[in-house]
Amino acid sequence: MLDSITLRIAFGVITLTLFLLFAFVTYRSTRSAFSFWWCAALVLFMAGSFAYLRDGTADQVWGNPLGNGVVVAGAASVWMGSRSLRGRPTPWWLVVAPAAFVTSVSAFDSPATNDWSGGPFYLALMGTLISLSTREIVLLDAHLSRTRWPLILASGALGLYYLVRFGVFLAVGPRSDLFVTFFGTPSTTLITLVLLVVVSFSMASLSGEQTTKVLAARAARSRQELLDGGGVQRRLLPQSTPDLPGYDVAGTCIPSGAVSGDFFDWQRTPDGLVVTLADVMGKGVGAAMIAATVRASLRAATPSHEPGQTMSIVDRAVETDLEAVDAFVTLLHLRLDAESGVVTAVDAGHGLGVICRADGTREVIASENLPMGVFGTQTWVTTTARLDPGDLLLICSDGVLDLFDDDVSALSRAADVATAAEPTASGAVTSITRLAAEGDYPDDVTVVAIRRDLVSASTTSPIT
């Protein structure tokens, strides 16, 4: 049989190898508490093995108590790793306390002449701590891991071995033939080494599975948060169409993901209607947050202001936020005078508003301004147009262009689809958004339509 020194050196080298593999593969990729504690256990087992190499020399007086302490600390670290699997706390004192206790007992038990100083306490703690680790794994959800049973069997066998070793130690002593043959250092080192390798590979697999489950749970929470955010965002969009005699109004927003960087809004005024469609650079949560900020600023501005004045107020309110996140917003903000049909608009780099005349001609609303946030605040230029009876004002986000191959004729083709639909605002909107529902498009699709009736009311009713 191999001598104890050779086996301990082999044990130390193998635990070092296992540590390097576990630290630079499993822990580096997972950063989990479980893999941290197992790395700590491997280091402590390795240090204890090398400390025991001082047995039989003058350094035994400190090497033996130190070896006992760090090996017990390693067993306690295994217990902490097993506790972390069930989300239980892993306080450092549960590692330090048993290690300090067995080191102190061993130091006062003739360590200079007795290589089994503190032996009963050492064996009892090893058996107990490894058994506690096994218990934690047994209590895991039975469907948690494919490696659960190999881990239970390996760690359970090692814990049982140390408890039996403790009993034999008390019954016949460490110098007896029975103890030396079956429970001495060579046999214990071999058994521990084999089981340690089995446990290490099981631990690596289990750590990966745990991390996968944690990431899956985190992703599920993120998805749910996005869905909740999307639900809030949809509820902040207009939930009803304005009652504007002589006009038919409709709008919708179809996000490409859970949340949208587009929004539309309208507010009834005493003489007509204020409408906004905006598109924030980018997609996802960041764009949705900026969209909410711009929408709130527009809502806070008095609806009775002219569009240029409203945009100046909003521009000053959001300039700092847009600059901080290096974002910009394109939008079309307009005011409709219902009696005359005059539309006064501010187009901030949007360029996707078109009036489809009843006679078949088209008039694109000119974009005379830069997007908000490009170069700070700016002086806003307004344009005017008129909606005559039978005309349709169509406003889109750039996601609509993707529905028509995003070429130079895309806006015209969208207008063709809208005017070919049933002669209502909702019909125009539905005819375009139906295309988005039929495919998988990368951008949010938002459409607002205002159609003036062929026979318009001569007056409008003010809000009461």
Side-chain angles (χ1 to χ4, degrees):
M1 180 176 286
L2 294 174
D3 62 276
S4 299
I5 293 177
T6 302
L7 284 170
R8 279 174 172 163
I9 292 175
F11 184 88
V13 171
I14 291 175
T15 52
L16 174 61
T17 303
L18 290 173
F19 164 74
L20 293 175
L21 289 172
F22 210 89
F24 289 102
V25 177
T26 303
Y27 177 69
R28 186 178 181 182
S29 62
T30 65
R31 301 289 179 177
S32 65
F34 175 62
S35 57
F36 166 79
W37 282 112
W38 185 247
C39 286
L42 290 171
V43 170
L44 291 166
F45 288 147
M46 176 182 63
S49 181
F50 285 127
Y52 285 142
L53 292 176
R54 308 314 301 164
D55 285 354
T57 71
D59 294 334
Q60 178 176 306
V61 67
W62 59 263
N64 195 267
L66 177 62
N68 288 348
V70 294
V71 171
V72 166
S77 295
V78 175
W79 181 32
M80 293 301 100
S82 300
R83 285 171 65 93
S84 71
L85 288 174
R86 297 207 298 132
R88 300 186 65 194
T90 56
W92 61 267
W93 61 266
L94 285 178
V95 176
V96 173
F101 171 74
V102 77
T103 301
S104 301
V105 171
S106 300
F108 287 102
D109 190 17
S110 306
T113 57
N114 178 18
D115 59 2
W116 274 102
S117 60
F121 299 98
Y122 165 75
L123 293 174
L125 281 171
M126 288 294 292
T128 300
L129 291 170
I130 296 174
S131 296
L132 288 172
S133 301
T134 305
R135 176 182 177 274
E136 295 291 340
I137 300 170
V138 169
L139 293 176
L140 284 173
D141 185 347
H143 302 290
L144 183 66
S145 170
R146 298 186 301 272
T147 60
R148 178 172 169 267
W149 274 110
L151 196 56
I152 290 172
L153 294 174
S155 61
L158 187 59
L160 179 62
Y161 176 80
Y162 269 98
L163 291 175
V164 173
R165 195 180 183 210
F166 167 68
V168 174
F169 182 96
L170 293 180
V172 299
R175 311 299 177 188
S176 67
D177 290 340
L178 175 62
F179 189 88
V180 171
T181 302
F182 296 102
F183 301 100
T185 297
S187 56
T188 299
T189 303
L190 279 174
I191 292 172
T192 303
L193 185 57
V194 171
L195 294 177
L196 189 64
V197 171
V198 173
V199 170
S200 290
F201 281 99
S202 299
M203 287 287 192
S205 177
L206 185 57
S207 183
E209 291 174 3
Q210 287 297 106
T211 302
T212 299
K213 288 180 171 61
V214 169
L215 293 176
R218 192 175 299 166
R221 287 196 299 271
S222 297
R223 284 194 297 271
Q224 188 58 50
E225 289 171 359
L226 283 173
L227 291 173
D228 292 343
V232 171
Q233 193 177 48
R234 285 189 293 276
R235 287 192 292 274
L236 291 177
L237 293 173
Q239 299 299 302
S240 60
T241 56
D243 180 16
L244 188 62
Y247 292 85
D248 182 19
V249 183
T252 193
C253 176
I254 301 178
S256 61
V259 293
S260 172
D262 291 0
F263 75 88
F264 71 94
D265 197 15
W266 49 53
Q267 291 176 274
R268 183 75 160 83
T269 63
D271 58 358
L273 187 67
V274 171
V275 178
T276 305
L277 188 149
D279 185 354
V280 179
M281 176 192 72
K283 294 182 285 296
V285 176
M289 293 175 67
I290 296 297
T293 300
V294 175
R295 176 189 177 278
S297 299
L298 283 163
R299 279 270 170 169
T302 304
S304 61
H305 290 322
E306 288 302 309
Q309 188 178 2
T310 297
M311 289 301 299
S312 294
I313 295 171
V314 174
D315 200 6
R316 289 194 297 271
V318 302
E319 176 194 6
T320 304
D321 292 338
L322 293 177
E323 183 179 359
V325 296
D326 194 23
F328 64 84
V329 183
T330 69
L331 62 81
L332 196 158
H333 176 72
L334 63 86
R335 183 183 185 89
L336 168 67
D337 180 84
E339 183 174 2
S340 65
V342 172
V343 175
T344 306
V346 171
D347 189 302
H350 196 70
L352 296 176
V354 58
I355 298 176
C356 305
R357 300 294 183 187
D359 61 8
T361 60
R362 307 278 168 76
E363 180 181 346
V364 176
I365 296 178
S367 180
E368 303 286 351
N369 305 276
L370 294 172
M372 292 178 62
V374 172
F375 292 119
T377 56
Q378 58 184 297
T379 300
W380 295 96
V381 178
T382 61
T383 58
T384 58
R386 182 187 299 276
L387 273 184
D388 294 321
D391 290 349
L392 170 71
L393 171 58
L394 184 70
I395 312 169
C396 308
S397 67
D398 61 4
V400 171
L401 304 184
D402 293 328
L403 306 179
F404 299 93
D405 300 324
D406 198 14
D407 59 22
V408 293
S409 65
L411 181 60
S412 177
R413 291 163 64 191
D416 289 341
V417 170
T419 54
E422 61 180 277
T424 63
S426 61
V429 169
T430 301
S431 66
I432 294 176
T433 55
R434 183 186 296 118
L435 298 176
E438 292 173 352
D440 182 16
Y441 294 95
D443 204 357
D444 307 321
V445 172
T446 305
V447 185
V448 172
I450 303 173
R451 181 183 290 275
R452 188 172 185 182
D453 295 343
L454 280 171
V455 179
S456 295
S458 59
T459 61
T460 58
S461 301
I463 293 177
T464 58

